[in-house]
Amino acid sequence: MKQGYHTRTEIFSQTEAWTNALDVVESHRQPLVSLFQQEFFQVLFVGCGSTYYLSLSAAALFQDLTARFSRATPAGELWMNPQFATLNGSLRQKTLLVAISRSGSTTETMRAVEAFKALEGGSVLAITNYPGQPLVEMADLSLVIEKGQELSVAQTRSFASIYVAITALALLAGGRYAELNQLRRLPEVGEQLLQKYDSLARQWGEDLSIDRIYFLGSGIRYGLACEANLKMKEMSLTHTEPFHFLEFRHGPKSMVTDTTAVVGLLSDSNRAHEQRVLEEVEALGAKALSLAEANASVNFASGLPEPLRGVLYLPVLQAMAYFRALAKGLHPDQPINLTSVVVLD
Ligand code: F1P
């Protein structure tokens, strides 16, 4: 089997999993509406690695679209330091815990849910790609997106499928039903992106003159920048780091050389500020790649409102990491030192 076969298949077939995600949310609309009608003091998203980064973006999106206090923490932190997420060790007010896990069996995530339930903190919503795993058994309500299952260690279509589900959830919880229907355009737009920018992703991935890559994103895009950073690390063993856009000037900028690439996940609302950072790093000799709805290196041209477009930043960056891994003679299906599920005894 060709090197990286599973990773390539999973990246380039992912829009089927996006559609599955939308179908799963739709089929659970009633119990989800009832859940969101409950008065929660906060919505807490937890996950590990990729799914923690997903939680970061999900919390920003949820707060933006529902005006409910939302935040994210690594599952391991909720397990080891529950005081981070609770007030004086007991959840004074109800919390909705959203536990995100591709496998549904990562030990830290299970322990975090157990710790939360021991505090009688509220309700647990699980979002996963595998049925019948411990997480589904522990949750009050589970969304299982089976088309997001994958054989590769590094998450690609699994991550994107859960991200689409969360975008739909946030719109549902926020009562934004017209925009919820617009999400049905995402798979078609994603398919166009994968076809149109396959060669750009390969070109950037095969540029081995680049020896470090910084991913910049703000708001809902920071968690996505973290995930793109992790993909590039896991698949291609490249030194990468994510930053909020304006933070890059406060020190990390000192690392920019002519062998540096800076990838900007541009927003609409703060485009001018973000673009200036990219212009500054280019003036220092770095190569800059921008992704946005329009006027960028990668243009989504979706016609969708900004909060609906988060998933569109992922496919080209996943493909770039895949091509860089192959160019370095690595095995993206099975990154060294990693397993697809972290199980602690
Ligand atoms: C999460 C995880 C990530 C890691 C890699 C494999 O597992 O272990 O921590 O970055 O992507 O998946 P899960 O709880 O989402 O199954």
Side-chain angles (χ1 to χ4, degrees):
M1 190 174 291
K2 239 168 89 47
Q3 204 168 316
Y5 172 81
H6 294 309
T7 305
R8 182 183 176 86
T9 305
E10 289 152 5
I11 291 171
F12 285 87
S13 70
Q14 67 180 288
T15 55
E16 293 164 25
W18 301 9
T19 299
N20 181 215
L22 293 173
D23 294 343
V24 167
V25 170
E26 195 49 46
S27 63
H28 290 75
R29 190 175 184 127
Q30 201 37 56
L32 287 168
V33 168
S34 312
L35 183 66
F36 296 132
Q37 277 166 350
Q38 295 180 38
E39 274 309 306
F40 291 111
F41 158 67
Q42 65 174 348
V43 184
L44 179 59
F45 295 83
V46 296
C48 298
S50 288
T51 39
Y52 166 56
Y53 298 143
L54 210 168
S55 297
L56 280 173
S57 185
L61 187 68
F62 220 82
Q63 184 152 316
D64 181 26
L65 294 179
T66 68
R68 290 172 190 242
F69 178 57
S70 308
R71 57 180 166 159
T73 181
E77 287 304 301
L78 180 57
W79 170 30
M80 294 192 299
N81 303 296
Q83 69 277 16
F84 164 86
T86 62
L87 305 171
N88 306 329
S90 69
L91 281 164
R92 289 247 182 83
Q93 305 190 31
K94 271 169 72 79
T95 293
L96 171 60
L97 181 71
V98 183
I100 304 174
S101 173
R102 165 180 66 178
S103 62
S105 59
T106 295
T107 302
E108 290 138 88
T109 307
M110 303 311 114
R111 296 284 181 276
V113 173
E114 285 164 2
F116 176 82
K117 293 178 79 166
L119 293 169
E120 291 158 19
S123 305
V124 180
L125 171 63
I127 310 179
T128 182
N129 298 110
Y130 290 86
Q133 294 299 313
L135 180 60
V136 170
E137 307 307 319
M138 297 166 82
D140 299 300
L141 180 61
S142 295
L143 301 179
V144 184
I145 306 158
E146 298 199 44
K147 284 271 174 66
Q149 294 177 4
E150 50 203 0
L151 295 170
S152 295
V153 168
Q155 296 190 15
T156 51
R157 73 178 174 200
S158 58
F159 184 101
S161 71
I162 295 176
Y163 194 89
V164 168
I166 284 180
T167 306
L169 277 183
L171 291 167
L172 187 63
R176 297 170 64 148
Y177 303 122
E179 288 165 293
L180 182 57
N181 294 332
Q182 286 183 289
L183 283 182
R184 285 287 174 185
R185 269 189 41 70
L186 278 175
E188 173 198 343
V189 175
E191 210 48 50
Q192 288 161 3
L193 284 176
L194 283 164
Q195 285 167 22
K196 183 174 179 190
Y197 293 105
D198 176 16
S199 52
L200 178 145
R202 178 192 289 269
Q203 182 192 346
W204 277 82
E206 292 178 349
D207 182 352
L208 298 187
S209 72
I210 293 166
D211 70 358
R212 68 197 72 178
I213 306 174
Y214 299 106
F215 294 89
L216 307 184
S218 293
I220 65 167
R221 284 157 298 276
Y222 174 65
L224 298 170
C226 291
E227 171 59 6
N229 139 78
L230 183 62
K231 285 301 78 84
M232 196 57 82
K233 272 195 180 79
E234 290 177 331
M235 291 195 215
S236 74
L237 308 184
T238 302
H239 287 289
T240 58
E241 271 193 279
F243 294 99
H244 293 88
F245 255 102
L246 304 190
E247 277 297 292
F248 195 63
R249 292 193 180 100
H250 298 272
K253 192 175 164 184
S254 61
M255 290 295 289
V256 173
T257 65
D258 59 5
T259 57
T260 298
V262 178
V263 178
L265 284 71
L266 295 171
S267 67
D268 294 355
S269 33
N270 297 303
R271 171 80 180 242
H273 296 296
E274 297 165 347
Q275 193 70 45
R276 273 189 58 195
V277 176
L278 294 185
E279 286 157 9
E280 288 172 22
V281 298
E282 282 187 299
L284 293 172
K287 294 187 175 97
L289 176 71
S290 57
L291 297 92
E293 175 67 4
N295 304 317
S297 321
V298 175
N299 296 309
F300 304 147
S302 70
L304 294 171
E306 185 169 53
L308 280 60
R309 299 188 221 126
V311 71
L312 298 179
Y313 291 93
L314 294 168
V316 174
L317 298 182
Q318 293 166 344
M320 189 171 142
Y322 162 75
F323 286 121
R324 185 173 171 90
L326 294 190
K328 291 179 71 173
L330 299 170
H331 298 273
D333 289 359
Q334 182 54 56
I336 61 170
N337 307 337
L338 296 184
T339 54
S340 57
V341 187
V342 175
V343 179
L344 308 174
D345 49 18

